[in-house]
Amino acid sequence: MKNWNEIQGWFNYQQTFNFLLSSIPDGGKFVECGAWLGCSSAYLCDAAKDRVKVYIVDTWKGSPNELTTTHSLATKVDIFPIFLDNMGDRKFTPLRMDSCEASEHFEDETLDVVYIDMTHTYEAVKQDIECWLPRVKVGGYIAGHDYAAYAPGVIQAVDEAFGNKVTIMDGNCWIVKKETL
């Protein structure tokens, strides 16, 4: 089993995960959408310990818009076994499917945190928010990565959905606390 910082990936938002985990009661549920090879997922599971149930959603086929760049490995090999090997004996439930399909495995208002970091396009992030927001408990959080100039579609989708309710942490993570409607 590899340490999280030995796993290839893009993870510099430990403060965000620590904040989100601190908001979850014992026995709560955290869904991470987007895992790649497990760098952030390993950190999440290590920090959650046995206190929080972790679900990790990914197709493990790479983001369609990144298959010729950062996710090109997924065009050559099945990365799911690499992910599993990297995760070792950490406790989590993998859901190998697309994000919205995975959201259907949860009842409304049953999740404490949903973290979105899959396909970084406007359409994909907008759809992920629409699929997952009903699943988040009132008082829970929906959040994600890549709220930055290099991913204008993420910014547009998040701002359209939440306006001025967005908090930015770790430079490019967006966080929204779900309030009563």
Side-chain angles (χ1 to χ4, degrees), residues 9 25 44 64 74 82 104 112 115 125 129 138 140:
L44 174 61
I82 299 169
E104 295 172 8
D112 297 283
Y115 192 84
V125 175
I129 291 169
V138 171

Side-chain angles (χ1 to χ4, degrees), residues 90-160:
R90 291 177 175 94
K91 294 183 181 177
F92 66 96
T93 301
L95 297 170
R96 190 175 187 182
M97 59 191 70
D98 114 334
S99 180
C100 285
E101 181 183 354
S103 74
E104 295 172 8
H105 289 258
F106 300 93
E107 298 293 323
D108 285 354
E109 297 194 11
T110 58
L111 302 174
D112 297 283
V113 173
V114 172
Y115 192 84
I116 297 169
D117 188 18
M118 288 186 81
T119 302
H120 308 107
T121 65
Y122 167 76
E123 295 80 10
V125 175
K126 179 179 178 178
Q127 185 178 33
D128 284 348
I129 291 169
E130 290 170 356
C131 291
W132 286 104
L133 186 59
R135 308 301 193 241
V136 177
K137 296 175 182 176
V138 171
Y141 289 89
I142 188 165
H145 191 230
D146 298 293
Y147 188 95
Y150 62 80
V154 173
I155 294 172
Q156 181 183 354
V158 171
D159 286 354
E160 283 179 9

Side-chain angles (χ1 to χ4, degrees), residues 14-173:
Q14 297 89 339
Q15 181 183 358
T16 301
F17 271 15
N18 292 340
F19 168 77
L20 293 169
L21 284 166
S22 74
S23 75
I24 301 175
D26 289 352
K29 297 176 184 173
F30 190 121
V31 175
E32 179 187 30
C33 299
W36 189 235
L37 300 179
C39 181
S40 61
S41 304
Y43 181 90
L44 174 61
C45 290
D46 292 347
K49 299 185 180 8
D50 293 332
R51 197 181 70 73
V52 172
K53 177 86 173 148
V54 174
Y55 299 86
I56 301 172
V57 176
D58 205 309
T59 63
W60 286 280
K61 294 179 181 178
S63 296
N65 62 322
E66 296 177 44
L67 291 176
T68 59
T69 57
T70 56
H71 289 176
S72 64
L73 179 63
T75 65
K76 300 172 183 84
V77 299
D78 183 357
I79 65 168
F80 187 57
I82 299 169
F83 167 81
L84 291 175
D85 185 57
N86 288 340
M87 293 299 288
D89 62 0
R90 291 177 175 94
K91 294 183 181 177
F92 66 96
T93 301
L95 297 170
R96 190 175 187 182
M97 59 191 70
D98 114 334
S99 180
C100 285
E101 181 183 354
S103 74
E104 295 172 8
H105 289 258
F106 300 93
E107 298 293 323
D108 285 354
E109 297 194 11
T110 58
L111 302 174
D112 297 283
V113 173
V114 172
Y115 192 84
I116 297 169
D117 188 18
M118 288 186 81
T119 302
H120 308 107
T121 65
Y122 167 76
E123 295 80 10
V125 175
K126 179 179 178 178
Q127 185 178 33
D128 284 348
I129 291 169
E130 290 170 356
C131 291
W132 286 104
L133 186 59
R135 308 301 193 241
V136 177
K137 296 175 182 176
V138 171
Y141 289 89
I142 188 165
H145 191 230
D146 298 293
Y147 188 95
Y150 62 80
V154 173
I155 294 172
Q156 181 183 354
V158 171
D159 286 354
E160 283 179 9
F162 303 112
N164 64 358
K165 296 178 181 178
V166 178
T167 299
I168 304 301
M169 188 175 280
D170 283 323
N172 62 1
C173 293

